[in-house]
Amino acid sequence: MAFWKQNNNQPTRQFRFRLSIDGTTYWWAKSAELPSATVNSNEYQIGNHKFNYPGVVTWNPVQIEVADVAGTSDNSNDSVGLLVNIFESKGYNIIGEPAGPGTVIGGLERLQFNEIRIEQLKSDGSAQNSWILKNAFFTQINFGRGDYNSEEINSITFTINYDYAELE
């Protein structure tokens, strides 16, 4: 029987999700990729036969897009200011200082997040699935673009790399 004929089942909707980084929920998140993994394949030849065997699991980077939300006049609670503060709290100097490996302060533990959680939500707002990215850290940030031909909200995208993900 198809799931849509059962009145007690509901499909997971893409627009029902919540992003939290180190315990802070980012309500202006526009999209968040869920974790994905790739298993490489090794090919071996024995005589005239080729055999494929599974290899190592690699977790793929996650890309997150947030709306560029303006905050107060001191930029303390706008999305750009908060993301810059996250970068700087992790030891990266990206504004006003030369950036690079020599400027990272605090070692590997400081660069990684305590917890990045992407939750898929039910219609009542409770969590259906919670993905927790382990040993996650930023690898890329893009503060958007200016475009005279568009009236859309500016988007900030960032990429997060991680060792593995847990489904809770």
Side-chain angles (χ1 to χ4, degrees), residues 25-36:
T25 300
Y26 291 88
W27 58 268
W28 55 84
K30 291 173 64 176
S31 66
E33 288 180 8
L34 296 175
S36 64

Side-chain angles (χ1 to χ4, degrees), residues 114-166:
N114 293 329
E115 179 178 277
I116 294 182
R117 182 182 293 262
I118 303 170
E119 295 175 310
Q120 294 174 292
L121 304 176
K122 296 179 185 177
S123 60
D124 64 359
S126 63
Q128 179 175 344
N129 294 321
S130 293
W131 288 99
I132 302 170
L133 307 182
K134 296 296 190 171
N135 301 327
F137 56 94
F138 281 137
T139 57
Q140 182 181 17
I141 189 164
N142 181 343
F143 289 104
R145 58 183 271 173
D147 187 354
Y148 286 116
N149 293 324
S150 176
E151 293 183 15
E152 292 183 27
I153 297 172
N154 188 46
S155 294
I156 302 168
T157 57
F158 51 95
T159 304
I160 297 174
N161 225 348
Y162 54 99
D163 289 340
Y164 62 98
E166 285 183 352

Side-chain angles (χ1 to χ4, degrees), residues 18-138:
R18 179 174 38 224
L19 170 71
S20 61
I21 299 175
D22 288 345
T24 302
T25 300
Y26 291 88
W27 58 268
W28 55 84
K30 291 173 64 176
S31 66
E33 288 180 8
L34 296 175
S36 64
T38 304
V39 178
N40 69 344
S41 174
N42 297 316
E43 183 177 85
Y44 299 99
Q45 182 171 347
I46 300 174
N48 291 333
H49 300 284
K50 290 189 178 182
F51 300 95
N52 289 302
Y53 292 98
V56 178
V57 174
T58 303
W59 288 89
N60 302 317
V62 169
Q63 190 168 28
I64 296 174
E65 182 178 3
V66 298
D68 188 356
V69 179
T72 58
S73 59
D74 64 353
N75 294 331
S76 62
N77 64 346
D78 67 348
S79 53
V80 172
L82 287 172
L83 287 171
V84 168
N85 288 341
I86 289 172
F87 261 77
E88 289 177 348
S89 71
K90 296 297 173 190
Y92 294 104
N93 294 323
I94 62 172
I95 295 180
E97 298 281 334
T103 61
V104 175
I105 303 164
L108 184 60
E109 294 81 22
R110 183 167 176 191
L111 297 177
Q112 295 173 341
F113 292 101
N114 293 329
E115 179 178 277
I116 294 182
R117 182 182 293 262
I118 303 170
E119 295 175 310
Q120 294 174 292
L121 304 176
K122 296 179 185 177
S123 60
D124 64 359
S126 63
Q128 179 175 344
N129 294 321
S130 293
W131 288 99
I132 302 170
L133 307 182
K134 296 296 190 171
N135 301 327
F137 56 94
F138 281 137

Side-chain angles (χ1 to χ4, degrees), residues 1-11:
M1 179 182 288
F3 76 88
W4 55 83
K5 291 184 179 181
Q6 297 174 359
N7 62 359
N8 60 349
N9 290 340
Q10 292 187 9

